mmCIF file of all heavy atoms in Angstrom:
data_model
loop_
_atom_site.group_PDB
_atom_site.id
_atom_site.type_symbol
_atom_site.label_atom_id
_atom_site.label_comp_id
_atom_site.label_asym_id
_atom_site.label_seq_id
_atom_site.Cartn_x
_atom_site.Cartn_y
_atom_site.Cartn_z
ATOM 1 N N HIS A 879 -88.123 -93.001 -114.176
ATOM 2 C CA HIS A 879 -88.249 -94.408 -113.793
ATOM 3 C C HIS A 879 -88.529 -95.320 -114.994
ATOM 4 O O HIS A 879 -87.908 -96.390 -115.129
ATOM 5 C CB HIS A 879 -89.351 -94.574 -112.743
ATOM 6 C CG HIS A 879 -89.483 -95.983 -112.259
ATOM 7 N ND1 HIS A 879 -88.455 -96.644 -111.617
ATOM 8 C CD2 HIS A 879 -90.509 -96.872 -112.352
ATOM 9 C CE1 HIS A 879 -88.848 -97.868 -111.327
ATOM 10 N NE2 HIS A 879 -90.076 -98.038 -111.753
ATOM 11 N N LEU A 880 -89.455 -94.928 -115.863
ATOM 12 C CA LEU A 880 -89.772 -95.773 -117.009
ATOM 13 C C LEU A 880 -88.553 -95.959 -117.910
ATOM 14 O O LEU A 880 -88.300 -97.046 -118.425
ATOM 15 C CB LEU A 880 -90.934 -95.178 -117.808
ATOM 16 C CG LEU A 880 -92.315 -95.237 -117.140
ATOM 17 C CD1 LEU A 880 -93.357 -94.562 -118.026
ATOM 18 C CD2 LEU A 880 -92.718 -96.676 -116.865
ATOM 19 N N MET A 881 -87.788 -94.892 -118.073
ATOM 20 C CA MET A 881 -86.591 -94.994 -118.902
ATOM 21 C C MET A 881 -85.546 -95.875 -118.233
ATOM 22 O O MET A 881 -84.844 -96.645 -118.908
ATOM 23 C CB MET A 881 -86.007 -93.602 -119.186
ATOM 24 C CG MET A 881 -84.843 -93.625 -120.165
ATOM 25 S SD MET A 881 -84.190 -91.965 -120.505
ATOM 26 C CE MET A 881 -85.614 -91.236 -121.316
ATOM 27 N N SER A 882 -85.440 -95.798 -116.919
ATOM 28 C CA SER A 882 -84.448 -96.617 -116.225
ATOM 29 C C SER A 882 -84.754 -98.099 -116.395
ATOM 30 O O SER A 882 -83.839 -98.922 -116.508
ATOM 31 C CB SER A 882 -84.397 -96.243 -114.740
ATOM 32 O OG SER A 882 -85.591 -96.602 -114.072
ATOM 33 N N ARG A 883 -86.028 -98.462 -116.429
ATOM 34 C CA ARG A 883 -86.380 -99.871 -116.662
ATOM 35 C C ARG A 883 -85.971 -100.310 -118.064
ATOM 36 O O ARG A 883 -85.501 -101.438 -118.263
ATOM 37 C CB ARG A 883 -87.881 -100.080 -116.456
ATOM 38 C CG ARG A 883 -88.333 -99.949 -115.020
ATOM 39 C CD ARG A 883 -89.686 -100.566 -114.797
ATOM 40 N NE ARG A 883 -90.670 -100.207 -115.803
ATOM 41 C CZ ARG A 883 -91.957 -100.532 -115.724
ATOM 42 N NH1 ARG A 883 -92.403 -101.235 -114.703
ATOM 43 N NH2 ARG A 883 -92.799 -100.156 -116.663
ATOM 44 N N GLU A 884 -86.162 -99.445 -119.052
ATOM 45 C CA GLU A 884 -85.767 -99.781 -120.417
ATOM 46 C C GLU A 884 -84.247 -99.893 -120.535
ATOM 47 O O GLU A 884 -83.734 -100.753 -121.264
ATOM 48 C CB GLU A 884 -86.292 -98.730 -121.393
ATOM 49 C CG GLU A 884 -87.779 -98.830 -121.676
ATOM 50 C CD GLU A 884 -88.140 -100.122 -122.394
ATOM 51 O OE1 GLU A 884 -87.248 -100.728 -123.045
ATOM 52 O OE2 GLU A 884 -89.298 -100.550 -122.294
ATOM 53 N N ILE A 885 -83.526 -99.031 -119.829
ATOM 54 C CA ILE A 885 -82.064 -99.107 -119.841
ATOM 55 C C ILE A 885 -81.603 -100.425 -119.232
ATOM 56 O O ILE A 885 -80.704 -101.101 -119.755
ATOM 57 C CB ILE A 885 -81.449 -97.912 -119.087
ATOM 58 C CG1 ILE A 885 -81.697 -96.603 -119.866
ATOM 59 C CG2 ILE A 885 -79.959 -98.137 -118.853
ATOM 60 C CD1 ILE A 885 -81.007 -96.540 -121.206
ATOM 61 N N ILE A 886 -82.231 -100.820 -118.123
ATOM 62 C CA ILE A 886 -81.887 -102.098 -117.500
ATOM 63 C C ILE A 886 -82.151 -103.251 -118.472
ATOM 64 O O ILE A 886 -81.317 -104.157 -118.631
ATOM 65 C CB ILE A 886 -82.696 -102.316 -116.205
ATOM 66 C CG1 ILE A 886 -82.219 -101.367 -115.096
ATOM 67 C CG2 ILE A 886 -82.603 -103.764 -115.748
ATOM 68 C CD1 ILE A 886 -80.872 -101.714 -114.510
ATOM 69 N N ALA A 887 -83.303 -103.223 -119.147
ATOM 70 C CA ALA A 887 -83.642 -104.286 -120.098
ATOM 71 C C ALA A 887 -82.616 -104.345 -121.228
ATOM 72 O O ALA A 887 -82.158 -105.432 -121.610
ATOM 73 C CB ALA A 887 -85.048 -104.065 -120.660
ATOM 74 N N SER A 888 -82.236 -103.190 -121.771
ATOM 75 C CA SER A 888 -81.250 -103.156 -122.852
ATOM 76 C C SER A 888 -79.883 -103.623 -122.366
ATOM 77 O O SER A 888 -79.156 -104.328 -123.091
ATOM 78 C CB SER A 888 -81.140 -101.732 -123.406
ATOM 79 O OG SER A 888 -82.364 -101.312 -123.964
ATOM 80 N N TRP A 889 -79.526 -103.251 -121.165
ATOM 81 C CA TRP A 889 -78.251 -103.650 -120.550
ATOM 82 C C TRP A 889 -78.173 -105.168 -120.415
ATOM 83 O O TRP A 889 -77.171 -105.798 -120.774
ATOM 84 C CB TRP A 889 -78.151 -102.961 -119.198
ATOM 85 C CG TRP A 889 -76.851 -103.113 -118.454
ATOM 86 C CD1 TRP A 889 -75.594 -103.015 -118.953
ATOM 87 C CD2 TRP A 889 -76.727 -103.344 -117.049
ATOM 88 N NE1 TRP A 889 -74.671 -103.173 -117.938
ATOM 89 C CE2 TRP A 889 -75.343 -103.365 -116.754
ATOM 90 C CE3 TRP A 889 -77.638 -103.487 -116.009
ATOM 91 C CZ2 TRP A 889 -74.856 -103.567 -115.464
ATOM 92 C CZ3 TRP A 889 -77.153 -103.676 -114.722
ATOM 93 C CH2 TRP A 889 -75.779 -103.724 -114.457
ATOM 94 N N LEU A 890 -79.259 -105.761 -119.907
ATOM 95 C CA LEU A 890 -79.285 -107.212 -119.741
ATOM 96 C C LEU A 890 -79.175 -107.919 -121.094
ATOM 97 O O LEU A 890 -78.418 -108.887 -121.248
ATOM 98 C CB LEU A 890 -80.573 -107.632 -119.030
ATOM 99 C CG LEU A 890 -80.761 -107.121 -117.600
ATOM 100 C CD1 LEU A 890 -82.080 -107.650 -117.025
ATOM 101 C CD2 LEU A 890 -79.598 -107.504 -116.702
ATOM 102 N N ARG A 891 -79.959 -107.457 -122.080
ATOM 103 C CA ARG A 891 -79.927 -108.105 -123.402
ATOM 104 C C ARG A 891 -78.542 -107.988 -124.045
ATOM 105 O O ARG A 891 -78.078 -108.918 -124.695
ATOM 106 C CB ARG A 891 -80.981 -107.476 -124.311
ATOM 107 C CG ARG A 891 -82.422 -107.788 -123.921
ATOM 108 C CD ARG A 891 -83.377 -107.350 -125.010
ATOM 109 N NE ARG A 891 -84.760 -107.518 -124.609
ATOM 110 C CZ ARG A 891 -85.524 -106.553 -124.121
ATOM 111 N NH1 ARG A 891 -85.030 -105.323 -123.981
ATOM 112 N NH2 ARG A 891 -86.764 -106.786 -123.774
ATOM 113 N N TYR A 892 -77.923 -106.829 -123.879
ATOM 114 C CA TYR A 892 -76.599 -106.637 -124.468
ATOM 115 C C TYR A 892 -75.619 -107.672 -123.929
ATOM 116 O O TYR A 892 -74.726 -108.134 -124.649
ATOM 117 C CB TYR A 892 -76.086 -105.220 -124.166
ATOM 118 C CG TYR A 892 -74.735 -104.927 -124.787
ATOM 119 C CD1 TYR A 892 -74.642 -104.465 -126.095
ATOM 120 C CD2 TYR A 892 -73.559 -105.134 -124.064
ATOM 121 C CE1 TYR A 892 -73.397 -104.221 -126.676
ATOM 122 C CE2 TYR A 892 -72.319 -104.889 -124.640
ATOM 123 C CZ TYR A 892 -72.253 -104.430 -125.948
ATOM 124 O OH TYR A 892 -71.014 -104.192 -126.524
ATOM 125 N N HIS A 893 -75.798 -108.057 -122.671
ATOM 126 C CA HIS A 893 -74.916 -109.024 -122.033
ATOM 127 C C HIS A 893 -75.517 -110.433 -122.043
ATOM 128 O O HIS A 893 -75.174 -111.263 -121.193
ATOM 129 C CB HIS A 893 -74.599 -108.572 -120.608
ATOM 130 C CG HIS A 893 -73.785 -107.307 -120.559
ATOM 131 N ND1 HIS A 893 -72.421 -107.301 -120.734
ATOM 132 C CD2 HIS A 893 -74.148 -106.003 -120.415
ATOM 133 C CE1 HIS A 893 -71.969 -106.045 -120.666
ATOM 134 N NE2 HIS A 893 -72.999 -105.243 -120.476
ATOM 135 N N SER A 894 -76.418 -110.658 -123.019
ATOM 136 C CA SER A 894 -76.991 -111.993 -123.285
ATOM 137 C C SER A 894 -77.766 -112.554 -122.105
ATOM 138 O O SER A 894 -77.801 -113.766 -121.883
ATOM 139 C CB SER A 894 -75.877 -112.974 -123.694
ATOM 140 O OG SER A 894 -75.215 -112.516 -124.847
ATOM 141 N N ILE A 895 -78.409 -111.687 -121.336
ATOM 142 C CA ILE A 895 -79.291 -112.120 -120.243
ATOM 143 C C ILE A 895 -80.717 -111.857 -120.679
ATOM 144 O O ILE A 895 -81.087 -110.712 -120.951
ATOM 145 C CB ILE A 895 -78.987 -111.367 -118.936
ATOM 146 C CG1 ILE A 895 -77.534 -111.588 -118.526
ATOM 147 C CG2 ILE A 895 -79.934 -111.817 -117.829
ATOM 148 C CD1 ILE A 895 -77.097 -110.751 -117.334
ATOM 149 N N ARG A 896 -81.526 -112.923 -120.761
ATOM 150 C CA ARG A 896 -82.897 -112.792 -121.238
ATOM 151 C C ARG A 896 -83.841 -113.534 -120.300
ATOM 152 O O ARG A 896 -83.466 -113.879 -119.191
ATOM 153 C CB ARG A 896 -83.010 -113.304 -122.674
ATOM 154 C CG ARG A 896 -82.211 -112.439 -123.665
ATOM 155 C CD ARG A 896 -82.225 -113.001 -125.068
ATOM 156 N NE ARG A 896 -81.655 -112.072 -126.023
ATOM 157 C CZ ARG A 896 -80.358 -111.899 -126.223
ATOM 158 N NH1 ARG A 896 -79.486 -112.602 -125.539
ATOM 159 N NH2 ARG A 896 -79.913 -111.028 -127.111
ATOM 160 N N ASP A 897 -85.074 -113.697 -120.712
ATOM 161 C CA ASP A 897 -86.098 -114.400 -119.921
ATOM 162 C C ASP A 897 -86.449 -113.681 -118.629
ATOM 163 O O ASP A 897 -86.935 -114.294 -117.680
ATOM 164 C CB ASP A 897 -85.667 -115.843 -119.615
ATOM 165 C CG ASP A 897 -85.572 -116.691 -120.873
ATOM 166 O OD1 ASP A 897 -86.414 -116.509 -121.763
ATOM 167 O OD2 ASP A 897 -84.651 -117.511 -120.971
ATOM 168 N N PHE A 898 -86.186 -112.390 -118.570
ATOM 169 C CA PHE A 898 -86.634 -111.607 -117.423
ATOM 170 C C PHE A 898 -88.038 -111.085 -117.698
ATOM 171 O O PHE A 898 -88.518 -111.108 -118.839
ATOM 172 C CB PHE A 898 -85.675 -110.445 -117.156
ATOM 173 C CG PHE A 898 -85.378 -109.608 -118.378
ATOM 174 C CD1 PHE A 898 -86.241 -108.613 -118.792
ATOM 175 C CD2 PHE A 898 -84.230 -109.835 -119.128
ATOM 176 C CE1 PHE A 898 -85.988 -107.850 -119.923
ATOM 177 C CE2 PHE A 898 -83.949 -109.081 -120.254
ATOM 178 C CZ PHE A 898 -84.834 -108.086 -120.653
ATOM 179 N N ASP A 899 -88.714 -110.597 -116.651
ATOM 180 C CA ASP A 899 -90.057 -110.047 -116.812
ATOM 181 C C ASP A 899 -90.117 -108.645 -116.224
ATOM 182 O O ASP A 899 -89.107 -108.109 -115.751
ATOM 183 C CB ASP A 899 -91.112 -110.965 -116.183
ATOM 184 C CG ASP A 899 -90.834 -111.240 -114.709
ATOM 185 O OD1 ASP A 899 -90.101 -110.443 -114.077
ATOM 186 O OD2 ASP A 899 -91.356 -112.238 -114.182
ATOM 187 N N ARG A 900 -91.309 -108.058 -116.226
ATOM 188 C CA ARG A 900 -91.462 -106.673 -115.759
ATOM 189 C C ARG A 900 -91.120 -106.540 -114.268
ATOM 190 O O ARG A 900 -90.600 -105.501 -113.834
ATOM 191 C CB ARG A 900 -92.878 -106.168 -116.022
ATOM 192 C CG ARG A 900 -93.973 -106.876 -115.258
ATOM 193 C CD ARG A 900 -95.299 -106.118 -115.348
ATOM 194 N NE ARG A 900 -95.799 -106.102 -116.692
ATOM 195 C CZ ARG A 900 -96.610 -107.020 -117.205
ATOM 196 N NH1 ARG A 900 -96.976 -108.048 -116.459
ATOM 197 N NH2 ARG A 900 -97.041 -106.935 -118.423
ATOM 198 N N HIS A 901 -91.400 -107.579 -113.504
ATOM 199 C CA HIS A 901 -91.123 -107.514 -112.063
ATOM 200 C C HIS A 901 -89.618 -107.479 -111.803
ATOM 201 O O HIS A 901 -89.143 -106.763 -110.918
ATOM 202 C CB HIS A 901 -91.767 -108.711 -111.360
ATOM 203 C CG HIS A 901 -93.238 -108.809 -111.576
ATOM 204 N ND1 HIS A 901 -94.114 -107.853 -111.103
ATOM 205 C CD2 HIS A 901 -93.992 -109.729 -112.228
ATOM 206 C CE1 HIS A 901 -95.346 -108.185 -111.455
ATOM 207 N NE2 HIS A 901 -95.299 -109.306 -112.135
ATOM 208 N N THR A 902 -88.867 -108.246 -112.589
ATOM 209 C CA THR A 902 -87.409 -108.223 -112.462
ATOM 210 C C THR A 902 -86.855 -106.856 -112.828
ATOM 211 O O THR A 902 -85.984 -106.316 -112.130
ATOM 212 C CB THR A 902 -86.781 -109.299 -113.370
ATOM 213 O OG1 THR A 902 -87.279 -110.587 -112.996
ATOM 214 C CG2 THR A 902 -85.259 -109.288 -113.250
ATOM 215 N N LEU A 903 -87.352 -106.284 -113.911
ATOM 216 C CA LEU A 903 -86.898 -104.949 -114.321
ATOM 217 C C LEU A 903 -87.212 -103.912 -113.245
ATOM 218 O O LEU A 903 -86.392 -103.030 -112.965
ATOM 219 C CB LEU A 903 -87.560 -104.551 -115.641
ATOM 220 C CG LEU A 903 -87.220 -105.408 -116.866
ATOM 221 C CD1 LEU A 903 -87.976 -104.896 -118.085
ATOM 222 C CD2 LEU A 903 -85.726 -105.410 -117.124
ATOM 223 N N GLU A 904 -88.378 -104.023 -112.640
ATOM 224 C CA GLU A 904 -88.770 -103.085 -111.585
ATOM 225 C C GLU A 904 -87.829 -103.202 -110.384
ATOM 226 O O GLU A 904 -87.355 -102.192 -109.833
ATOM 227 C CB GLU A 904 -90.212 -103.377 -111.163
ATOM 228 C CG GLU A 904 -90.791 -102.397 -110.159
ATOM 229 C CD GLU A 904 -91.173 -101.068 -110.777
ATOM 230 O OE1 GLU A 904 -91.209 -100.969 -112.022
ATOM 231 O OE2 GLU A 904 -91.438 -100.120 -110.017
ATOM 232 N N ARG A 905 -87.538 -104.432 -109.971
ATOM 233 C CA ARG A 905 -86.650 -104.640 -108.828
ATOM 234 C C ARG A 905 -85.267 -104.062 -109.079
ATOM 235 O O ARG A 905 -84.679 -103.392 -108.217
ATOM 236 C CB ARG A 905 -86.516 -106.141 -108.525
ATOM 237 C CG ARG A 905 -87.712 -106.791 -107.874
ATOM 238 C CD ARG A 905 -87.386 -108.201 -107.389
ATOM 239 N NE ARG A 905 -86.993 -109.113 -108.438
ATOM 240 C CZ ARG A 905 -85.755 -109.549 -108.634
ATOM 241 N NH1 ARG A 905 -84.757 -109.135 -107.846
ATOM 242 N NH2 ARG A 905 -85.476 -110.411 -109.614
ATOM 243 N N LEU A 906 -84.742 -104.328 -110.274
ATOM 244 C CA LEU A 906 -83.394 -103.877 -110.590
ATOM 245 C C LEU A 906 -83.318 -102.357 -110.718
ATOM 246 O O LEU A 906 -82.335 -101.741 -110.278
ATOM 247 C CB LEU A 906 -82.917 -104.542 -111.884
ATOM 248 C CG LEU A 906 -82.758 -106.063 -111.844
ATOM 249 C CD1 LEU A 906 -82.386 -106.588 -113.219
ATOM 250 C CD2 LEU A 906 -81.724 -106.480 -110.818
ATOM 251 N N ALA A 907 -84.342 -101.770 -111.325
ATOM 252 C CA ALA A 907 -84.346 -100.307 -111.487
ATOM 253 C C ALA A 907 -84.386 -99.606 -110.130
ATOM 254 O O ALA A 907 -83.658 -98.632 -109.897
ATOM 255 C CB ALA A 907 -85.527 -99.882 -112.345
ATOM 256 N N ILE A 908 -85.223 -100.107 -109.242
ATOM 257 C CA ILE A 908 -85.336 -99.497 -107.909
ATOM 258 C C ILE A 908 -84.042 -99.704 -107.124
ATOM 259 O O ILE A 908 -83.516 -98.771 -106.496
ATOM 260 C CB ILE A 908 -86.540 -100.082 -107.152
ATOM 261 C CG1 ILE A 908 -87.843 -99.640 -107.823
ATOM 262 C CG2 ILE A 908 -86.514 -99.656 -105.684
ATOM 263 C CD1 ILE A 908 -89.088 -100.278 -107.242
ATOM 264 N N ALA A 909 -83.514 -100.930 -107.165
ATOM 265 C CA ALA A 909 -82.277 -101.202 -106.429
ATOM 266 C C ALA A 909 -81.118 -100.379 -106.977
ATOM 267 O O ALA A 909 -80.270 -99.893 -106.211
ATOM 268 C CB ALA A 909 -81.950 -102.693 -106.514
ATOM 269 N N GLY A 910 -81.077 -100.212 -108.303
ATOM 270 C CA GLY A 910 -79.998 -99.438 -108.905
ATOM 271 C C GLY A 910 -79.970 -98.000 -108.434
ATOM 272 O O GLY A 910 -78.907 -97.372 -108.410
ATOM 273 N N LYS A 911 -81.119 -97.499 -108.028
ATOM 274 C CA LYS A 911 -81.202 -96.106 -107.588
ATOM 275 C C LYS A 911 -81.138 -95.949 -106.070
ATOM 276 O O LYS A 911 -80.694 -94.903 -105.569
ATOM 277 C CB LYS A 911 -82.499 -95.480 -108.101
ATOM 278 C CG LYS A 911 -82.560 -95.335 -109.607
ATOM 279 C CD LYS A 911 -83.808 -94.584 -110.055
ATOM 280 C CE LYS A 911 -83.799 -94.359 -111.559
ATOM 281 N NZ LYS A 911 -84.907 -93.492 -112.018
ATOM 282 N N THR A 912 -81.587 -96.953 -105.332
ATOM 283 C CA THR A 912 -81.774 -96.763 -103.885
ATOM 284 C C THR A 912 -80.961 -97.700 -102.992
ATOM 285 O O THR A 912 -80.796 -97.409 -101.806
ATOM 286 C CB THR A 912 -83.258 -96.940 -103.520
ATOM 287 O OG1 THR A 912 -83.655 -98.299 -103.786
ATOM 288 C CG2 THR A 912 -84.135 -95.993 -104.340
ATOM 289 N N ALA A 913 -80.469 -98.829 -103.510
ATOM 290 C CA ALA A 913 -79.807 -99.816 -102.650
ATOM 291 C C ALA A 913 -78.455 -99.313 -102.154
ATOM 292 O O ALA A 913 -77.773 -98.524 -102.816
ATOM 293 C CB ALA A 913 -79.639 -101.133 -103.406
ATOM 294 N N GLU A 914 -78.050 -99.806 -100.984
ATOM 295 C CA GLU A 914 -76.751 -99.465 -100.428
ATOM 296 C C GLU A 914 -75.648 -100.163 -101.220
ATOM 297 O O GLU A 914 -75.839 -101.278 -101.719
ATOM 298 C CB GLU A 914 -76.677 -99.911 -98.962
ATOM 299 C CG GLU A 914 -77.604 -99.153 -98.027
ATOM 300 C CD GLU A 914 -77.169 -97.701 -97.853
ATOM 301 O OE1 GLU A 914 -75.939 -97.446 -97.903
ATOM 302 O OE2 GLU A 914 -78.048 -96.842 -97.678
ATOM 303 N N PRO A 915 -74.488 -99.528 -101.357
ATOM 304 C CA PRO A 915 -73.365 -100.177 -102.033
ATOM 305 C C PRO A 915 -73.051 -101.529 -101.395
ATOM 306 O O PRO A 915 -73.077 -101.668 -100.165
ATOM 307 C CB PRO A 915 -72.217 -99.185 -101.836
ATOM 308 C CG PRO A 915 -72.898 -97.854 -101.706
ATOM 309 C CD PRO A 915 -74.172 -98.132 -100.961
ATOM 310 N N GLY A 916 -72.786 -102.514 -102.241
ATOM 311 C CA GLY A 916 -72.517 -103.859 -101.767
ATOM 312 C C GLY A 916 -73.706 -104.786 -101.870
ATOM 313 O O GLY A 916 -73.560 -106.014 -101.776
ATOM 314 N N LYS A 917 -74.883 -104.226 -102.109
ATOM 315 C CA LYS A 917 -76.089 -105.046 -102.244
ATOM 316 C C LYS A 917 -76.024 -105.848 -103.541
ATOM 317 O O LYS A 917 -75.631 -105.345 -104.594
ATOM 318 C CB LYS A 917 -77.327 -104.142 -102.270
ATOM 319 C CG LYS A 917 -78.654 -104.885 -102.368
ATOM 320 C CD LYS A 917 -79.037 -105.549 -101.071
ATOM 321 C CE LYS A 917 -80.445 -106.120 -101.139
ATOM 322 N NZ LYS A 917 -80.805 -106.815 -99.880
ATOM 323 N N VAL A 918 -76.429 -107.139 -103.482
ATOM 324 C CA VAL A 918 -76.441 -108.009 -104.653
ATOM 325 C C VAL A 918 -77.881 -108.443 -104.927
ATOM 326 O O VAL A 918 -78.571 -108.922 -104.027
ATOM 327 C CB VAL A 918 -75.550 -109.260 -104.446
ATOM 328 C CG1 VAL A 918 -75.667 -110.203 -105.636
ATOM 329 C CG2 VAL A 918 -74.092 -108.837 -104.248
ATOM 330 N N ILE A 919 -78.322 -108.242 -106.165
ATOM 331 C CA ILE A 919 -79.707 -108.534 -106.551
ATOM 332 C C ILE A 919 -79.722 -109.684 -107.544
ATOM 333 O O ILE A 919 -79.057 -109.624 -108.589
ATOM 334 C CB ILE A 919 -80.387 -107.303 -107.205
ATOM 335 C CG1 ILE A 919 -80.119 -106.030 -106.387
ATOM 336 C CG2 ILE A 919 -81.882 -107.552 -107.378
ATOM 337 C CD1 ILE A 919 -80.678 -106.050 -104.994
ATOM 338 N N ASP A 920 -80.472 -110.742 -107.257
ATOM 339 C CA ASP A 920 -80.618 -111.850 -108.203
ATOM 340 C C ASP A 920 -81.419 -111.408 -109.420
ATOM 341 O O ASP A 920 -82.400 -110.662 -109.296
ATOM 342 C CB ASP A 920 -81.338 -113.031 -107.541
ATOM 343 C CG ASP A 920 -80.452 -113.735 -106.520
ATOM 344 O OD1 ASP A 920 -79.227 -113.742 -106.715
ATOM 345 O OD2 ASP A 920 -80.998 -114.268 -105.531
ATOM 346 N N ILE A 921 -81.004 -111.895 -110.594
ATOM 347 C CA ILE A 921 -81.712 -111.553 -111.834
ATOM 348 C C ILE A 921 -82.442 -112.794 -112.337
ATOM 349 O O ILE A 921 -83.608 -113.010 -112.053
ATOM 350 C CB ILE A 921 -80.742 -110.995 -112.902
ATOM 351 C CG1 ILE A 921 -79.971 -109.797 -112.330
ATOM 352 C CG2 ILE A 921 -81.516 -110.564 -114.151
ATOM 353 C CD1 ILE A 921 -78.894 -109.260 -113.260
ATOM 354 N N VAL A 922 -81.731 -113.657 -113.098
ATOM 355 C CA VAL A 922 -82.313 -114.882 -113.635
ATOM 356 C C VAL A 922 -81.178 -115.800 -114.062
ATOM 357 O O VAL A 922 -80.101 -115.332 -114.452
ATOM 358 C CB VAL A 922 -83.255 -114.574 -114.837
ATOM 359 C CG1 VAL A 922 -82.468 -114.005 -116.005
ATOM 360 C CG2 VAL A 922 -84.047 -115.797 -115.263
ATOM 361 N N ASN A 923 -81.385 -117.115 -113.933
ATOM 362 C CA ASN A 923 -80.418 -118.111 -114.406
ATOM 363 C C ASN A 923 -79.011 -117.895 -113.855
ATOM 364 O O ASN A 923 -78.021 -118.035 -114.572
ATOM 365 C CB ASN A 923 -80.377 -118.126 -115.942
ATOM 366 C CG ASN A 923 -81.704 -118.520 -116.552
ATOM 367 O OD1 ASN A 923 -82.433 -119.331 -115.987
ATOM 368 N ND2 ASN A 923 -82.037 -117.947 -117.701
ATOM 369 N N GLY A 924 -78.917 -117.553 -112.570
ATOM 370 C CA GLY A 924 -77.613 -117.417 -111.932
ATOM 371 C C GLY A 924 -76.941 -116.075 -112.110
ATOM 372 O O GLY A 924 -75.846 -115.849 -111.581
ATOM 373 N N HIS A 925 -77.550 -115.157 -112.842
ATOM 374 C CA HIS A 925 -76.982 -113.825 -113.027
ATOM 375 C C HIS A 925 -77.422 -112.902 -111.892
ATOM 376 O O HIS A 925 -78.536 -113.015 -111.375
ATOM 377 C CB HIS A 925 -77.426 -113.235 -114.370
ATOM 378 C CG HIS A 925 -76.939 -114.008 -115.553
ATOM 379 N ND1 HIS A 925 -75.625 -113.984 -115.978
ATOM 380 C CD2 HIS A 925 -77.589 -114.848 -116.399
ATOM 381 C CE1 HIS A 925 -75.482 -114.749 -117.037
ATOM 382 N NE2 HIS A 925 -76.655 -115.296 -117.310
#
């Protein structure tokens, strides 16, 4: 889990998405592993 959060953070930065916090990383990491296909998760600034 801890590594998945870091991967999400690196993924976002690589695609020029910043200003996220630990809560956003937690939401995305959990959704990436458990959400049903088709689910859309808000990140920040329209992403």
Side-chain angles (χ1 to χ4, degrees):
H879 183 61
L880 289 178
M881 186 179 295
S882 67
R883 291 198 314 187
E884 285 295 337
I885 292 295
I886 289 288
S888 298
W889 186 44
L890 296 181
R891 291 191 186 97
Y892 182 86
H893 294 279
S894 301
I895 302 173
R896 294 175 171 80
D897 294 322
F898 51 82
D899 56 21
R900 65 168 66 90
H901 303 295
T902 301
L903 296 179
E904 185 76 12
R905 286 190 299 107
L906 296 176
I908 292 174
K911 293 186 176 187
T912 65
E914 293 291 328
K917 182 74 172 178
V918 176
I919 314 297
D920 288 329
I921 305 174
V922 65
N923 298 326
H925 297 286

